[in-house]
Amino acid sequence: MKTLTQLYDEYEGDFIDAMVNHFKLSGKKDLVFRSRFIKDNDGCLHQKLAQQSAKHLIDEEKSQDAAQIYRQQLASICAKLEEMGCPPSEGADRWKNCREWLREERFKQWAKEQGLIKPRTIEECWNELKTKVKISQPTKAGEMQSELIVEKWEPRLSDMAARRNIKRQEFQPNSDLTYRVISPKVGHLILFEREPNGTIVCLCPSEYSPSDYPGKETVLPHPDSEYESFGSDELGWEQLIAVITTELPPFQWLEDSRKEALEVNQDHLAGLLDYVNGQPNAEVLYTEYLVVAKA
């Protein structure tokens, strides 16, 4: 499957034509839009591009500065794009913000409309999210390594905590389990569980975890919830993915899941995957365990 960048490189000409028509650009705006936003000119200064197009920018028998006209037309184009959904910005790099929006947001939408991007299945989204897992090593003395751990829950005895089962990845049916997320990052936690039948559920945020803001170590079910453990009543492999982001992802379904653990569909997972791809500081953790009957 081609990446978005590969698709853009292949279809840039068609996309630029489509955007000129979509934004109803003509005359000098058409010229400036094409010259400024094609990849071949990314490293060119406005002055150089203006000089190349001077005869088309300057009206006959008028003493005008091509570079000034170019900047004025570009500013008008940026204002138009911001009216159409581009996040507004100011300063000399305003056009670069528009360029990023065109290539990442508008092109993705256009490519889907053209059938160049086929909807990913939930299986493909899940597997791609797993590829984002990186084994991060501690960067400070005494810092714990990021981990997603499954433990068998046992009632606390005196000051003893539940026994950890880090090495053990097999459990019998109806075992009471807890999940532990360890990370030096501080941010918003999303935890998915994929059951053996393929159903994916969001366990954080949910009634199992009223708070989705983890510190260095988070245990689920959260002590503030009414649940003490998760069940394991279905035979087969259970998979867990934890996603930690600096900012809270802007998805309504995350808010809906706070009331009751939400069954995740393809749209939910695809949207989160796109969000994670745009967040270089996001951390993804994965683990799995087997629920197996007694021999």
Side-chain angles (χ1 to χ4, degrees):
M1 181 182 296
K2 293 182 179 179
T3 65
L4 197 64
T5 299
Q6 290 171 329
L7 284 174
Y8 184 86
D9 290 341
E10 184 174 349
Y11 292 96
E12 182 183 51
D14 294 334
F15 172 67
I16 293 294
D17 287 342
M19 293 301 99
V20 167
N21 292 329
H22 180 76
F23 297 123
K24 296 180 172 58
L25 304 176
S26 60
K28 296 176 184 179
K29 286 186 176 60
D30 182 341
L31 174 68
V32 172
F33 182 86
R34 292 179 186 276
S35 69
R36 184 63 282 174
F37 292 112
I38 62 172
K39 262 192 171 183
D40 286 346
N41 290 340
D42 279 357
C44 295
L45 299 175
H46 298 335
Q47 180 76 28
K48 179 180 178 180
L49 297 177
Q51 290 174 351
Q52 293 174 350
S53 306
K55 66 179 182 179
H56 300 292
L57 293 172
I58 298 175
D59 297 330
E60 293 183 7
E61 301 179 356
K62 288 186 179 180
S63 177
Q64 296 177 313
D65 182 356
Q68 182 179 2
I69 296 173
Y70 193 95
R71 288 192 294 270
Q72 290 172 344
Q73 295 295 326
L74 183 59
S76 179
I77 291 170
C78 290
K80 177 71 172 180
L81 299 186
E82 289 170 357
E83 289 177 5
M84 301 298 288
C86 177
S89 62
E90 298 178 354
D93 288 342
R94 183 185 186 189
W95 71 274
K96 292 182 180 179
N97 185 61
C98 291
R99 180 183 64 186
E100 181 179 356
W101 177 73
L102 283 168
R103 293 182 186 174
E104 295 186 3
E105 299 299 327
R106 285 298 307 173
F107 178 73
K108 185 189 302 181
Q109 180 180 338
W110 177 82
K112 288 179 179 178
E113 293 169 353
Q114 304 305 309
L116 302 177
I117 299 178
K118 296 180 179 179
R120 289 167 292 188
T121 65
I122 194 168
E123 178 79 16
E124 290 171 336
C125 291
W126 181 261
N127 289 333
E128 187 173 344
L129 196 56
K130 285 165 62 175
T131 68
K132 306 299 177 185
V133 176
K134 295 180 181 178
I135 305 301
S136 58
Q137 298 298 327
T139 57
K140 300 178 183 178
E143 185 176 82
M144 301 178 72
Q145 179 176 322
S146 295
E147 290 185 273
L148 178 52
I149 302 168
V150 180
E151 303 173 329
K152 185 174 181 180
W153 182 86
E154 294 180 351
R156 292 179 179 271
L157 299 176
S158 183
D159 293 329
M160 296 178 61
R163 186 180 64 200
R164 300 177 65 176
N165 291 274
I166 300 175
K167 302 296 184 182
R168 185 176 169 192
Q169 294 300 115
E170 289 190 5
F171 299 92
Q172 295 178 4
N174 301 315
S175 295
D176 294 324
L177 306 176
T178 60
Y179 304 145
R180 188 181 299 268
V181 182
I182 300 174
S183 172
K185 291 183 178 294
V186 175
H188 294 270
L189 171 66
I190 303 172
L191 181 67
F192 297 116
E193 179 181 46
R194 181 173 181 176
E195 301 170 356
N197 63 14
T199 300
I200 300 173
V201 178
C202 180
L203 295 181
C204 181
S206 73
E207 68 270 30
Y208 297 100
S209 179
S211 172
D212 64 349
Y213 194 83
K216 294 183 178 180
E217 188 169 341
T218 302
V219 177
L220 284 89
H222 195 275
D224 291 342
S225 78
E226 59 182 281
Y227 302 93
E228 293 183 324
S229 63
F230 296 107
S232 57
D233 56 354
E234 186 177 350
L235 299 180
W237 284 101
E238 295 270 0
Q239 301 178 56
L240 299 173
I241 288 181
V243 179
I244 301 172
T245 59
T246 304
E247 303 294 333
L248 177 65
F251 302 123
Q252 180 58 46
W253 59 266
L254 283 175
E255 295 302 315
D256 296 339
S257 187
R258 292 183 193 280
K259 303 172 185 176
E260 184 177 2
L262 182 74
E263 182 175 335
V264 178
N265 61 33
Q266 184 273 340
D267 288 338
H268 299 147
L269 215 56
L272 180 66
L273 182 58
D274 288 340
Y275 181 83
V276 169
N277 285 334
Q279 301 291 320
N281 293 324
E283 183 174 28
V284 181
L285 305 175
Y286 173 83
T287 194
E288 59 187 23
Y289 62 93
L290 182 63
V291 179
V292 58
K294 292 182 179 179

